Amino acid sequence: MNDTITSPILILGGTGKTGRRLAERLTAHGLPVRIGSRSGNPRFDWEIPATWGPALQGVSAVYISYYPDIAVPGAAETVGAFARLAVANGVTRLLLLSGRGEAEAQRAEEMLKASGADWTILRCAWFSQNFSEGFLVEPLLEGEVALPVSNVGEPFVDVDDIAEAAFVALTEPGHVGQLYELAGPRLLSFADAVAEIGKAAGRDIRFVRIPHDEFTAAMAAHELPPEIAWLLNELFTQVLDGRNESLTDGVQRVLGRAPKDFSAYATETASTGIWSN
């Protein structure tokens, strides 16, 4: 490991699924961390570029996780502007959390490469933890998950594997200029995933495929923020169309081991009681 890191690593989205876990790993190894968030000090807000410069001062590297998601329109330009500012401030080591099969995410990757940074990209499949740290917790508790998605297979990736890959990429040599596509070890449909969660939780949880307009109406009833509603619509109507129905070797390339299986995630998470009434 690189023991010469004495300046903080800035973690954008440092309170999110991946950023929080990366921060824990860095801190556990005695490495300094600066959390980039709207509640951080100094404050960081993607929508207020004036907050970017102060957050970048004196840091050695940046983990870039875009909020609300790198798939949203305009994300690529914003990430590109941030990367150029970082490089102009002498912070060249940038690691981007990206998404598979998302046009805006791939545009952001190109913007990062064009910035002159020493870049690494983690292009990730759908997070396993979306079932336990997001909008799917409530329907799982209620016993029925209704989504407008077919029997398409998704190689769900564990967020712990993403955080571990980010930690290694930022603290060990050999990862500059590398794009790692991170995925789990097998393909599961959403119906398969819900069934595994039900089995792990010892409950009968049903998966129901619903029409797109029914899903849209359900989101409207929940009064989600417009950008989140747009994102869910994009993911379930565009990205989950089979384009990502393939396995990749990114986890093996970075960590030298197989990725964590969804069943292990389901078993461990069920033991916390989050899916139990």
Side-chain angles (χ1 to χ4, degrees), residues 45-256:
D45 190 329
W46 278 113
E47 295 181 1
I48 306 176
T51 64
W52 302 355
L56 282 165
Q57 296 310 304
V59 304
S60 59
V62 186
Y63 175 74
I64 304 172
S65 174
Y66 185 80
Y67 180 85
D69 190 274
I70 201 165
V72 302
E77 283 76 14
T78 306
V79 167
F82 175 83
R84 291 190 296 274
L85 181 67
V87 172
N89 277 268
V91 185
T92 58
R93 187 72 185 97
L94 304 179
L95 189 156
L96 176 68
L97 178 70
S98 186
R100 289 181 96 200
E102 299 170 357
E104 193 71 8
Q106 267 77 88
R107 287 182 59 235
E109 294 174 6
E110 295 309 312
M111 296 271 193
L112 178 72
K113 293 176 184 178
S115 69
D118 295 329
W119 57 269
T120 305
I121 295 165
L122 303 181
R123 185 190 288 169
C124 300
W126 187 283
F127 299 170
S128 298
Q129 277 76 4
N130 285 337
F131 289 97
S132 52
E133 298 177 31
F135 76 102
L136 289 170
V137 173
E138 188 179 331
L140 284 165
L141 276 171
E142 291 171 353
E144 181 176 293
V145 177
L147 295 170
V149 63
S150 67
N151 208 34
V152 64
E154 173 70 23
F156 295 99
V157 64
D158 196 282
V159 170
D160 283 319
D161 281 351
I162 301 170
E164 191 69 24
F167 172 78
V168 169
L170 287 169
T171 60
E172 296 181 5
H175 301 286
V176 171
Q178 295 293 316
L179 187 157
Y180 299 110
E181 198 152 343
L182 306 182
R186 62 191 170 108
L187 297 169
L188 295 91
S189 67
F190 271 76
D192 294 333
V194 168
E196 293 217 5
I197 288 170
K199 180 182 175 184
R203 295 179 54 223
D204 178 26
I205 306 175
R206 296 192 308 137
F207 175 82
V208 181
R209 184 183 181 185
I210 57 172
H212 175 238
D213 56 355
E214 196 175 317
F215 180 64
T216 305
M219 286 195 295
H222 278 84
E223 298 181 350
L224 296 169
E227 65 273 17
I228 301 298
W230 180 92
L231 175 63
L232 293 175
N233 190 53
E234 171 79 1
L235 290 173
F236 284 110
T237 59
Q238 300 294 326
V239 179
L240 287 166
D241 62 358
R243 69 183 69 178
N244 294 329
E245 206 166 16
S246 60
L247 302 179
T248 60
D249 64 351
V251 172
Q252 288 93 332
R253 285 172 57 207
V254 186
L255 301 180

Side-chain angles (χ1 to χ4, degrees), residues 21 129 131-133 137 141 160 197 200-202 260 264-277:
R21 288 170 168 86
Q129 277 76 4
F131 289 97
S132 52
E133 298 177 31
V137 173
L141 276 171
D160 283 319
I197 288 170
K260 186 174 173 180
Y265 154 76
T267 301
E268 289 173 17
T269 306
S271 70
T272 70
I274 193 166
W275 297 315
S276 303
N277 288 324

Side-chain angles (χ1 to χ4, degrees), residues 1-7 31:
M1 194 175 82
N2 188 343
D3 294 320
T4 62
I5 299 173
T6 55
S7 301
L31 297 171

